[in-house]
Amino acid sequence: MQRFVLTENIRRFRQRLAAAGDDAAREQIGEMLLAAERDLAMLDAATSGARQGWRAGTPEDLDAIRAEKLAWFRQTFADDPRLAALIDPAPGLTMVEINRFYETSSGYPRDEVVGKPLFDLFPDNPDDPGATGVHNLYASLRQVAETGRSHAMALQRYDTHDAEGVWTARYWRPVNTPLHDDQGRLIYLLHVVEEAEAPEGASESSTPP
């Protein structure tokens, strides 16, 4: 029911945005549209993950494959100068592992990240009504899971906060990649990110590109 309501609200907001006659109305409706899209992404991530029916097999079989992929990730990205994370595509999008650079750059100790849902750890900045990080990242992860192909996202503003709850505008270039087993089953999602400079003219209160 909640998903239906959000989907209908998004449809209505898009119609109203197209018909809006002045800048103030477009801004207000645009913020409501972004909020609804964000809420839908959070709901779908929690209830469906990246894709329904994304893997099948015996638990013993999958455990062995997961262990193999995890070992590969740790060896490959241990000293990589990019942020790298392994995400379980099941409902919740749980963080499976991160590399050292991810830990130091994000400010989150590894033990506070692994085992937690992605968007519980990294929500949008609540003070930015134009935030699109959650919606865009979820859309990319879902596209990767459904197509079986990597996806390089456009420059993305995705603010982070420190232990005191102070938010900082930050910009990223994420690449998301599916990790399959020999039978083509999706096992994990690989999330690799490079931090980027803010685009010219951007400020801490600017709308993400």
Side-chain angles (χ1 to χ4, degrees), residues 144-163:
V144 166
E146 292 178 346
T147 65
R149 297 190 298 271
S150 295
H151 178 238
M153 297 177 63
L155 180 67
Q156 173 67 55
R157 177 176 170 178
Y158 205 135
D159 298 353
T160 61
H161 63 84
D162 60 22

Side-chain angles (χ1 to χ4, degrees), residues 97-144:
E97 186 60 284
I98 59 175
N99 67 347
R100 282 192 291 269
F101 192 67
Y102 194 109
E103 186 174 15
T104 57
S105 181
S106 69
Y108 282 90
R110 176 185 175 278
D111 291 346
E112 294 183 11
V113 173
V114 173
K116 304 292 179 55
L118 169 63
F119 295 126
D120 285 0
L121 288 165
F122 304 106
D124 277 326
N125 183 346
D127 298 323
D128 183 2
T132 60
V134 166
H135 173 264
N136 290 346
L137 177 54
Y138 178 70
S140 176
L141 294 174
R142 186 150 190 162
Q143 175 181 324
V144 166

Side-chain angles (χ1 to χ4, degrees), residues 21 25 31 43 74 89 91 94 106 121-122 124 127 149 155 165-166 175 177 183 192 197 202:
E31 290 178 358
L43 176 64
R74 288 170 173 165
T94 301
S106 69
L121 288 165
F122 304 106
D124 277 326
D127 298 323
R149 297 190 298 271
L155 180 67
V166 177
V175 177
T177 302
Q183 300 178 45
V192 179
E197 296 291 332

Side-chain angles (χ1 to χ4, degrees), residues 171-191:
Y171 292 81
W172 314 90
R173 294 189 184 279
V175 177
N176 300 306
T177 302
L179 299 182
H180 299 99
D181 67 2
D182 293 340
Q183 300 178 45
R185 295 176 297 184
L186 179 62
I187 304 301
Y188 288 130
L189 296 165
L190 175 63
H191 179 60

